[in-house]
Amino acid sequence: PKKVAGKEMDNSISLYFNPLYTQIYNKDVFSNDNWQAEGGIGYNGGIGYTYYLRKSIGVFGGLSLTNYKTNLKLENFSIETNTLRLEDKDGDEYYRYIQSDVEEQNSLTYLDVSLGTNLNKYLKENVLGIYLGTGCQFSYLFMSKYKITGSSTHTGYYPEYHVVLYDLPDYDFTSENLDAENDWDLNSFNISAYLSFGLFARVHRLVYLNAGPYIIYGIGDLKYDTAKHRDDYISTVGVPGRTNTQAAGLNFSLIFIL
């Protein structure tokens, strides 16, 4: 390190890629008896700059992309109960009956600006040590996709006429084979906290490698309150509570000392 104004500093640029197990998590969806939910493999990767106030304490800023995935499945679902009274386009009241087998693949990709602190402690001077990084990600929804496959049948029971209507596309009473892909309407902004820690080792005179666990937890609510398609969770169960992003995995960073 070099001396500047009486302080040691090792300002650095970092390139990082973090493979992660991710979830677009909602407690209501993940605990529902009809819907099966599981996370998927995502990632966080980008470039950062660290300004060291002291040899072991630095301020970090970064720009990255983070991808989250969750897969949902609805198997052998059938609802033919007179509990949700709806109104069709003619003003007549009816109950929607649904039989459905569907799978969803959901993916969200964010452009992140990260601000945080980095702490380093050498175990062997200039060769090996431990690190801790923590801070916040301020994220903009860069890409949101869902893919739906399966089949479903929707009919309408009209209690006033004691009749069940079907095969009426204008009223969305149809049987369909589903294979569609579209955007997911969610809150465009997200705030997350991140934590990273592990070992760093010198791999070249001015190059270090960081490796260790990496955790991201979404603080904001993504506002999942609009149905994606006619057989999604909202359409079959109702509007769920808070939805957030979560991820855990490994951090791999190359640190270039300036």
Side-chain angles (χ1 to χ4, degrees), residues 16-32:
Y16 52 94
F17 182 79
N18 309 319
L20 304 169
Y21 176 78
T22 66
Q23 292 181 338
I24 307 164
Y25 182 79
N26 184 290
K27 180 180 178 181
D28 296 335
V29 178
F30 273 68
S31 62
N32 187 265

Side-chain angles (χ1 to χ4, degrees), residues 20 34 46 71 90-91 118 129 135 153 162 194 212 217 219 221 249:
L20 304 169
N34 295 304
N71 299 317
D90 300 319
N118 288 345
T153 297
H162 302 290
Y194 72 86
Y217 184 82
I219 301 170
D221 183 1

Side-chain angles (χ1 to χ4, degrees), residues 93-229:
E93 293 185 335
Y94 73 100
Y95 297 95
R96 183 173 291 271
Y97 292 170
I98 301 173
Q99 293 181 323
S100 186
D101 282 275
V102 297
E103 291 188 37
E104 283 185 22
Q105 297 174 339
N106 300 288
S107 176
L108 303 177
T109 303
Y110 290 90
L111 178 63
D112 317 300
V113 174
S114 298
L115 296 174
T117 58
N118 288 345
L119 305 177
N120 296 326
K121 180 175 177 59
Y122 281 105
L123 301 177
K124 186 175 181 180
E125 188 67 20
N126 294 328
V127 175
L128 181 68
I130 56 176
Y131 71 89
L132 171 67
T134 185
C136 288
Q137 286 183 349
F138 303 91
S139 305
Y140 176 77
L141 188 55
F142 179 70
M143 185 180 300
S144 62
K145 292 292 183 183
Y146 73 86
K147 180 177 176 61
I148 176 74
T149 56
S151 62
S152 73
T153 297
H154 286 220
T155 57
Y157 171 62
Y158 287 73
E160 184 178 353
Y161 308 106
H162 302 290
V163 64
V164 176
L165 300 183
Y166 57 93
D167 289 339
L168 293 173
D170 288 345
Y171 295 83
D172 199 27
F173 300 149
T174 58
S175 294
E176 294 186 4
N177 291 319
L178 306 171
D179 188 1
E181 188 173 342
N182 210 333
D183 297 336
W184 188 359
D185 185 16
L186 290 172
N187 193 348
S188 296
F189 296 96
N190 191 22
I191 300 176
S192 305
Y194 72 86
L195 175 67
S196 177
F197 59 93
L199 295 173
F200 66 86
R202 189 174 66 184
V203 295
H204 190 264
R205 189 172 65 88
L206 294 176
V207 181
Y208 287 79
L209 173 66
N210 285 6
Y214 192 85
I215 300 168
I216 311 174
Y217 184 82
I219 301 170
D221 183 1
L222 301 184
K223 301 294 185 182
Y224 173 32
D225 53 16
T226 302
K228 302 191 285 292
H229 53 85

